[in-house]
Amino acid sequence: MEGRQGLVLAPAGSPPNPIAQVQARFRELEGGFRAWLARQSMPVEAAVVTATSAAQGAAIGGLMGTLTSDLTSAFPAPPPQAAGLSPQAMSSLKQAQAFAGGPLVQARNFAVMTGVNAGISCVMKRIRGVEDVQSSVVAAFGSGALFSLVSGMGGPNQAANAVTSGLFFALVQGGLFKLGQKFSQPPAEDVYYARTRCMLTSLGLQNYEKNFKKGLLTDTTLPLLTDSALRDVKIPPGPRLLILDHIHRNPEFVRKVKS
């Protein structure tokens, strides 16, 4: 039918948007997975995070290796007579090979780099209870060191190469972390919802942060949350159950909020 303002209204029996259905289903699965992961022990969570991040890194590395496969021919394996090259020349050749390898080589390198980084970050966050620049630097150092060992990048002294690469990765990632913090400082009132935001994000429910703010449900109210309080701010039943289950299953989270 045609509305008063000339807008064509879709009939009541029109089929739903399949793209929206897929997106909603994906968000539901993602939220369920994150909620399940938050209830696991630290070794299980670290193993799952490392594996999934390594798989993502391998996919990215394989794609990059495919797109840059033509560069591999520019840096062939050193011939037997290359043994007489200077250490500096051999180091440069190995570095070029590390960054210009084929799809499998790049997939391996990126899998190690992203998997180790995510795994260490997960363990540091569980131990220290916060995700800050120190955790980011430690994770970057570990990923850089292992990337150097796996890729064979650098000179003949592998230990020194691993330390140098780890320090370089740590410096870069630490700088990017601080830069991101500088340009993403939340408004003054948002400091009262920092842990709430972290909890909602881990559950895939970040869209309901505005409901918490509307009801003035700050971080200090988290230990007091009830189903009726969440219902009053118009949060649906499913997300209410996930939020309350997360709080009840994480007593250390509640203690931090109370402190």
Side-chain angles (χ1 to χ4, degrees), residues 7-67:
L7 298 177
V8 178
L9 303 178
S14 60
N17 187 348
I19 298 179
Q21 284 185 322
V22 172
Q23 291 176 340
R25 180 58 178 169
F26 177 78
R27 286 194 296 267
E28 181 182 353
L29 292 175
E30 184 182 16
F33 174 75
R34 290 183 177 181
W36 171 83
L37 193 61
R39 296 194 298 267
Q40 306 308 307
S41 62
M42 184 175 67
V44 173
E45 182 182 7
V48 172
V49 169
T50 301
T52 54
S53 299
Q56 294 174 358
I60 295 174
L63 178 61
M64 291 184 60
T66 302
L67 297 176

Side-chain angles (χ1 to χ4, degrees), residues 35-146:
W36 171 83
L37 193 61
R39 296 194 298 267
Q40 306 308 307
S41 62
M42 184 175 67
V44 173
E45 182 182 7
V48 172
V49 169
T50 301
T52 54
S53 299
Q56 294 174 358
I60 295 174
L63 178 61
M64 291 184 60
T66 302
L67 297 176
T68 61
S69 58
D70 56 328
L71 295 178
T72 307
S73 58
F75 305 102
Q81 59 269 26
L85 292 177
S86 64
Q88 292 80 6
M90 289 296 297
S91 175
S92 300
L93 182 59
K94 287 184 178 180
Q95 290 179 6
Q97 289 174 331
F99 287 104
L104 293 180
V105 174
Q106 293 288 40
R108 178 201 63 190
N109 293 346
F110 274 78
V112 170
M113 184 168 56
T114 57
V116 171
N117 193 304
I120 296 178
S121 295
C122 175
V123 172
M124 293 292 293
K125 185 177 180 180
R126 273 292 190 100
I127 294 176
R128 305 180 70 243
V130 65
E131 187 174 2
D132 54 10
V133 66
Q134 287 85 354
S135 299
S136 179
V137 166
V138 172
F141 180 86
S143 64
L146 282 183

